[in-house]
Amino acid sequence: MRYLMVEDSDELARSVADRLRLDGHAVDRACSLSEAEDCLGVAPYDLILLDLSLPDGDGRDFLIAQRRARRDVPIIVMTARAGVADRVDVLDLGADDYVTKPFDFAELEARCRAVLRRRGGATQTVQRFADVTFNPLSAQLTVGEEARELRNRELRLLEILLAAPERIFSKAQLCDRLFSYAESVTDNAIEVYVGRLRKKLEGSRVRIETVRGMGYRLTAA
């Protein structure tokens, strides 16, 4: 998944980004509201982590603008304002959730997963497609009765493909979802991870199909 973090604190931003990247997510960081708008203008994001107190304005104004523009990317507010009224306010303005600073990284990760599940229409963490079962929390893919461990990028790639079976994803789209601006990657990187994931799916009815000139899609025999 590709996250946008709008946070002006270098220390907090670095800590959160490092933790999320360990889970295989791509994280872009904006230090201000104007930088956040620039990022949204050129890349798709699965989730936004939004601070409220930023150098060029209030994060609540950014939140209002996103919802008025009918941008439905999930937004989790990271705030030091612990009052009930403050929390109710950001939820009423369109935030999907919030965490109060200082927060535990495990809680933030859990809230991210919960928000993404809700937006995807899922209520369960475990996903099933044809004869495979996927649990992103344990990074485990089960084919029949056999459990197979996934590495971070393999896990995130399967997550993307499983969210929309039969949809064709171009290499550029997959790059945008898997890697941040700070990472220098080529189309060959996608081919490598697709190849690795195909090996993990061997023996199942599920396959990653190459659609010539267009990209890849997850399908089942």
Side-chain angles (χ1 to χ4, degrees), residues 9-27:
S9 167
D10 291 336
E11 183 177 357
L12 177 60
R14 184 166 52 251
S15 297
V16 171
D18 287 347
R19 178 64 177 257
L20 293 173
R21 286 168 183 151
L22 282 175
D23 286 337
H25 299 293
V27 183

Side-chain angles (χ1 to χ4, degrees), residues 201-219:
L201 290 167
E202 286 179 354
S204 76
R205 292 166 44 212
V206 178
R207 67 182 188 276
I208 302 173
E209 184 178 80
T210 299
V211 182
R212 187 177 296 277
M214 298 181 68
Y216 303 98
R217 68 180 167 196
L218 192 72
T219 189

Side-chain angles (χ1 to χ4, degrees), residues 3 5-20 47-52 76-82 87 97-112:
Y3 291 6
M5 178 166 44
V6 190
E7 171 61 61
D8 64 331
S9 167
D10 291 336
E11 183 177 357
L12 177 60
R14 184 166 52 251
S15 297
V16 171
D18 287 347
R19 178 64 177 257
L20 293 173
L47 188 143
I48 297 172
L49 299 173
L50 175 67
D51 185 23
L52 294 183
I76 296 178
V77 168
M78 303 185 298
T79 177
R81 305 171 189 176
R87 299 197 297 270
D97 204 349
Y98 64 87
V99 287
T100 303
K101 299 177 183 178
F103 49 78
D104 184 90
F105 289 136
E107 178 188 2
L108 176 63
E109 290 170 319
R111 289 183 180 275
C112 290

Side-chain angles (χ1 to χ4, degrees), residues 17-217:
D18 287 347
R19 178 64 177 257
L20 293 173
R21 286 168 183 151
L22 282 175
D23 286 337
H25 299 293
V27 183
D28 292 324
R29 185 243 180 141
C31 299
S32 64
L33 298 179
S34 60
E35 285 185 14
E37 288 290 355
D38 289 342
C39 289
L40 288 170
V42 297
Y45 290 97
D46 298 290
L47 188 143
I48 297 172
L49 299 173
L50 175 67
D51 185 23
L52 294 183
S53 301
L54 293 154
D56 57 347
D58 191 320
R60 288 174 297 187
D61 295 330
F62 174 87
L63 177 58
I64 292 168
Q66 299 311 301
R67 298 315 184 216
R68 283 181 176 169
R70 298 189 181 280
R71 294 173 180 163
D72 63 354
V73 58
I75 298 175
I76 296 178
V77 168
M78 303 185 298
T79 177
R81 305 171 189 176
V84 173
D86 294 313
R87 299 197 297 270
V88 170
D89 184 38
V90 296
L91 292 172
D92 282 344
L93 291 177
D96 293 85
D97 204 349
Y98 64 87
V99 287
T100 303
K101 299 177 183 178
F103 49 78
D104 184 90
F105 289 136
E107 178 188 2
L108 176 63
E109 290 170 319
R111 289 183 180 275
C112 290
R113 290 192 298 267
V115 165
L116 290 169
R117 285 200 305 273
R118 290 199 299 269
R119 281 302 180 101
T123 57
Q124 301 296 321
T125 298
V126 175
Q127 297 172 269
R128 294 177 176 83
F129 181 59
D131 58 346
V132 304
T133 302
F134 171 56
N135 187 334
L137 296 185
S138 62
Q140 194 170 85
L141 171 71
T142 303
V143 177
E145 300 297 322
E146 182 185 351
R148 304 174 183 180
E149 298 298 324
L150 297 176
R151 297 194 174 187
N152 288 340
R153 299 285 191 197
E154 298 165 358
L155 187 154
R156 298 308 166 199
L157 176 58
L158 182 57
E159 229 175 7
I160 293 165
L161 296 174
L162 269 178
E166 304 296 341
R167 173 183 167 183
I168 298 173
F169 290 90
S170 69
K171 287 183 179 179
Q173 288 173 323
L174 293 175
C175 275
D176 282 343
R177 299 284 292 278
L178 287 171
F179 302 99
S180 68
Y181 290 125
E183 298 171 284
S184 178
V185 296
T186 66
D187 287 351
N188 290 338
I190 296 299
E191 294 176 9
V192 168
Y193 288 113
V194 167
R196 291 178 181 175
L197 187 53
R198 278 175 169 155
K199 290 182 179 179
K200 297 293 176 70
L201 290 167
E202 286 179 354
S204 76
R205 292 166 44 212
V206 178
R207 67 182 188 276
I208 302 173
E209 184 178 80
T210 299
V211 182
R212 187 177 296 277
M214 298 181 68
Y216 303 98
R217 68 180 167 196

